Amino acid sequence: MRTLLSARAALLLLALPLLAGAFAQAQSAGTIPPSVDPELARYIGAIRAIDNHAHTVLPPPNDGTDREFDALPVDNMEPQTDPVVLRDSSPEVSAAWQALWGLHETAPLSTAALQRVQAARAAIKAREGVNYDNWVLDRMGIATEVANRVAMGPGIAKPRFAWVPYDDTLMFPLDNSALAAATPDKAQFFPLEAKVLQRYLQAATLQHVPATLGEYLSKVLLPTLQAQRQGGAIAIKFEIAYLRDFNFASVKQDDAARVYSTFASGGVPDVTSYKLLQDFLFRTLCQEAGRLGMAVHIHTGEGAGSYFSLAGVNPMLLEPTFNSKALRGTNFVLLHGGWPYVHEEGALLQKPNVYLDISQQVILFSPQLMSTWLREWLELYPDKVLFGTDAYPYTPAMGWEELLWIATHNARETLGITLTGMVRDGVVDMPRAKQIADMVLRGNAAKLYKLQ
Ligand SMILES: [Zn+2]
């Protein structure tokens, strides 16, 4: 394990944006991992990336109280078994503290060491002010970060940041108490979703949801999507995996409208009837987002919390959605690569409008392990795989900055290992390997979202 980590640390150094010096040093010191071709490592390290998915936190003066980096920012869920990399004792984060704050600290941090990390971060925030988030991106060689937020704010703007708002709440306009009773996690999630819906209703100058589904669509759902598009959104996001399963049926509007009008003014819908309405609204949201030129981001794979239902979010359950002729004008991006369903998710890239990103995976898994399934995806559909991080303010010692650093550097190393293997096995030549690296780190996202 130690050998593995020191090899990873060496490649992380290679991947710094201004890496010529570090690269030359590593080369002469003979510390380049043999699994990565030096020429590829240098090339990949210099690519200015587009991060398809991150939970960006506002820079000063608005940080500290900012909670809009998630529609479900739950702080006190019942404990789960954290993956090793997210534990206080994770060795991964030391390299991030060193690169970002110039500190040589070892996890787990003592109280005094945590104060040093926080003081170093605060000093740079004070120096950079509203430019702080741009400064963070510059440390990672990231040109543009796709920020998944309820709303954007000062200091996170085009061209360095693009917006993806949350729209799960538009699928749940009725009394959600029966759904919230299902698990302790959902008991926290649904009131948070209701707050977001209240915000969207206020923007539509409404106090309650309208009486009929037709009015709900014309006065709430469509105007919200239009406002998001006008506000610069390039996609909408579903965290639906935290709220229900992926089994979205094709439901006639009349059937959904009956459920809606029965319960819009009160009463708790039974779970089966409510599902009809949710299914209809999900597909409507996807269709309208596509019509407005926005992609649809869907959380796939494992999720936080000890009550998360992995069986319900097998991406294969989305196949009928992807096979809907009415939704072929909408591009879907499956976030986080879908582990443990990595093979299923890769197979779904055959659909012309389905993509996936490697966010979160590049935090949780070693490049050596992750490269095994990344190779599968890149051999088949290299034009459908997007770099992403899922950087998130996790703990005081592990903020979105540290996770962004870990994810970005692991992603470059994972790509390096994967493409080196493909070159050495004669699957692609070196020029094509470089081209694929460009596509994954930047080109595929630029094309999908029509970014510069
Ligand atoms: Zn996320």
Side-chain angles (χ1 to χ4, degrees), residues 114-132:
L114 175 60
Q115 283 171 354
R116 286 195 292 276
V117 168
Q118 289 178 311
R121 188 197 317 261
I124 294 176
K125 281 187 175 180
R127 187 190 73 204
E128 297 294 329
V130 77
N131 186 54
Y132 174 74

Side-chain angles (χ1 to χ4, degrees), residues 53 55 148 237 336 390:
H53 176 68
H55 298 265
N148 196 188
K237 164 79 180 292
H336 317 321
D390 203 17

